[in-house]
Amino acid sequence: MALRYDKGMKRTAVFLLMLGICCGMVSAQINEIDNPSYENGLTGWRTWNRTTDAVRAEVVQDPSAPDGSRVMEIRHTGDKDWSLQTNKRLAVKPGDILDLSIWGHVQGAGYAMLCLSLWDKNNENLAWVFGQTNLAKGTEWKQVQRRVVIPRDVASVQPRVIGEGKAVVQIDLFSICRAGNVSDLRAPGLPDVLTLTNPSMDLRFDTKTLSAQVRCSSSRKVWEQIPSLMEMVLKNIQKEDERTLTMELLDVTADRKFRSTLQLDPDKAEYVFTLDALDQTDAPFSKLNYPPAYRSQPGEYLIIPLNEGISYPVEDETIDPRYLIAYGGHGICMAFWGATDGQSGYSAIIETPDDAGIHIDRYEKKLTVIPQWDPQLGKFGYERRLRYSFFGTGGYVGMAKRYRQYAQAKGIFKTLREKEKEVPATARLAGAVNVWNWDTAPSKMAEEMQAAGIEHILWSSGGKAEEIKKLNEMGVLSSRYDIYQDIMDPANRDKLDGWHPDWIDAAWPNEIILEKDGSWRHGWGVKGKDGQWYDCGMICDRFAPKYAAKKIPAELAVKPYLARFIDTTTASPWQECWNPDHPMTRTDSREWKMKLLDYVSGDMKLVTGCENGHDASVPYLHYFEGMMSLVYYRFQDAGRNQLRVWEEVPENLSKFQVGHNYRLPLWELVFHDCTVSYWFWGDYNNKFPALWDKRDLFNLLYGVPPMFMFTHDQWLANKERFVQSYQNTCPVIHEIAYEEMLDHRFLTPDRNVQQTRFANGYTVVVNFGSEPYMYQGQKTKVTIPAMGFHVEK
């Protein structure tokens, strides 16, 4: 609601009226912001920017503003971040409820948001961004409101507007109202502590802090949730039996009630947490971080299934906090996380992952994880579930094997042996190097490779009909690229240098995904003839199977491919579509994506691959491109200019992407006998020659084949090295391709020497270090050279 006032009205009265409306309280409530309408220019405010002289703030006249007068305008010409903040901080207490409001809008490529920074009693910063809410894009003034609850240990806050990128931002009527403290809202007469127990564990629940303390019989360790969450207030709690608590909670920030349960397993050291909204109204829901994180201890590692998997030392200050979705291959690819000291630990399985994710953040200077529940088309939607497991031994391997059991019970588990019975060409995938090459006739290139000793090949680059037939006769697994997500507006055809043959013109504009505001969702960008970028739209997932059924059978009648690579389907998040003609939740999106993959592999009987990977797709897919390449540590813009080989290795890529101190084969410990994992096609074995040996070692250790991308000239110049890469890895991988990975372990404290074991008796040991390692084999001692390996059965 945009308010207009007569010029004769006094500014103070105008603001008090505005304040009463924005805070939902009486107008007598006091605004804590000095100079909130910028009548006194920049008095009480200051700017900061990361790029020198890139930000300018000034008061300007704008008749279209909420009060039809002076407003603050921030012009930022840089690409990095900036802020406008008050000179003084506001004193607060933990549990204080603050109502934030501001009017504004943003023009340009950048963004801006309202937020607070948090400070402790010693004036040390606890968080630079808290309670953030984005300002509206466009030219229309819109009000942004947010209720926040001050966390524990916070003594003062600093009101801020922050942003990043080139933008012109206008703001007005910035207000902060105090609305009491959460301690006043707790129901009286509730017990302070309730305890649950089973033969394997005890759980002590603190009703004041809404946090649990767990002891299990297999370990002397005590796991404690961090009592940091203040937004939730207990209204009622009931101990149903010795294993079950039910409670009613109030989310103060949204005035929303929830029903929650904690239920211990009858026997195991596990419990299930559930959360459901009691009031399923049309009131909007944004996100919720609950239950609290478990406190990390010195010497522990976070265990995160980011693609193949990674471990973060909880005291490692180089790790950036990050949010990872559970509903796509650019987040956690299996719905769990955990923490361990190498033996004891805990894991949490997200049993409702379609609208969920995890926040990796710091508390008490140590990394920890808190779950996040995302909205389903703007609402809470349905009951959310987490399953916590505690153990005294087993470490990250035990976590992975527990998740393997869960995947089997859930029905997202299907072995390659089972898949081969349905798609016989699956056998050609075992130990097959994935090859991308476009400048040579496929059969000629494959013939040269096989003559050099590279026998098993997945040819991903397609080809003419006669070439595909020849490849099949040579024992090659013939495949081609395909996509059912990104499509370009046909109106842009003349603006581009080329038109992708897999863009489906017929889907534009009626079958593309729409945002809540009616705009279309932007996908992959293509640079036009004029140097400008043109974004693709995205097909609503429910239409993808229809177009696959039109395209694939007709093509197979001419080109008898044995395999097909479907780009983006398991990399891109499960999508929401707000188109009133075909609305779609993320759960709907996942189901339609899986129907597409099931059609390709099940109906068309093709060996089927997809990008990155996600456990929801395991029953339908045979291989993944990108599972080996941890998505946030790939080479910058690895999806473009894939053929270019780089001599210089970026530090972040060296440290994490091929960082043997951090990486874990979590995916292989769960699904090695179900799928085959490759590097990303812009991050293949020969992309960085300096890392080629190390990538080969990872391939051998994980039991997955390499990926090559090259021109024919590059093949001729490096033929011996390509053959070496294949011979060092693929003969062994061919033997273990269908086998469960039983174990992975570090044989040295520095993690330089690592070992994996497979169900058919194979053991692989690799030495990532710079010194030889004496390994006690099954029969004799073996010296494994630096950057060397040893395989035994």
Side-chain angles (χ1 to χ4, degrees), residues 261-281:
T261 65
L262 298 177
Q263 186 170 50
L264 273 58
D265 184 87
D267 301 303
K268 298 192 292 287
E270 295 187 356
Y271 75 88
V272 172
F273 162 88
T274 70
L275 186 70
D276 202 1
L278 284 176
D279 186 12
Q280 292 287 4
T281 66

Side-chain angles (χ1 to χ4, degrees), residues 11 40 176 376 546 595 598 616 729 763:
R11 185 82 178 199
N40 298 319
I176 295 183
Q376 183 188 59
K546 174 182 70 174
K595 287 178 182 178
D598 189 29
T729 59
T763 297

Side-chain angles (χ1 to χ4, degrees), residues 223-283:
W223 291 273
E224 295 179 323
Q225 285 181 328
I226 300 167
S228 59
L229 190 73
M230 300 293 289
E231 292 91 336
M232 285 291 198
V233 175
L234 186 65
K235 304 301 289 184
N236 194 15
I237 190 166
Q238 181 71 35
K239 185 174 179 179
E240 305 292 345
D241 53 47
E242 288 302 307
R243 297 189 294 108
T244 310
L245 286 179
T246 62
M247 64 194 86
E248 183 180 317
L249 304 169
L250 173 67
D251 179 0
V252 177
T253 61
D255 194 26
R256 187 188 301 271
K257 293 181 179 179
F258 292 93
R259 181 181 185 273
S260 181
T261 65
L262 298 177
Q263 186 170 50
L264 273 58
D265 184 87
D267 301 303
K268 298 192 292 287
E270 295 187 356
Y271 75 88
V272 172
F273 162 88
T274 70
L275 186 70
D276 202 1
L278 284 176
D279 186 12
Q280 292 287 4
T281 66
D282 290 333

Side-chain angles (χ1 to χ4, degrees), residues 282-296:
D282 290 333
F285 171 76
S286 56
K287 65 178 182 179
L288 179 63
N289 297 108
Y290 186 76
Y294 274 93
R295 177 179 277 110
S296 296

Side-chain angles (χ1 to χ4, degrees), residues 682-754:
D683 187 49
Y684 41 87
N685 288 64
N686 56 303
K687 181 74 172 183
F688 294 91
L691 300 178
W692 199 338
D693 288 343
K694 194 168 190 179
R695 287 188 191 270
D696 289 352
L697 290 181
F698 273 117
N699 282 116
L700 186 60
L701 182 70
Y702 287 21
V704 297
M707 173 187 283
F708 302 153
M709 182 179 288
F710 50 72
T711 64
H712 193 252
D713 286 344
Q714 290 171 331
W715 158 256
L716 293 177
N718 299 278
K719 181 188 295 187
E720 291 184 2
R721 184 61 188 85
F722 282 115
V723 173
Q724 175 192 332
S725 181
Y726 177 88
Q727 292 295 342
N728 282 351
T729 59
C730 288
V732 174
I733 294 166
H734 183 268
E735 296 301 313
I736 61 178
Y738 285 14
E739 303 300 326
E740 177 186 354
M741 180 187 283
L742 299 177
D743 187 34
H744 169 268
R745 63 182 59 188
F746 301 102
L747 300 185
T748 57
D750 58 11
R751 296 191 166 192
N752 283 346
V753 184
Q754 301 183 24

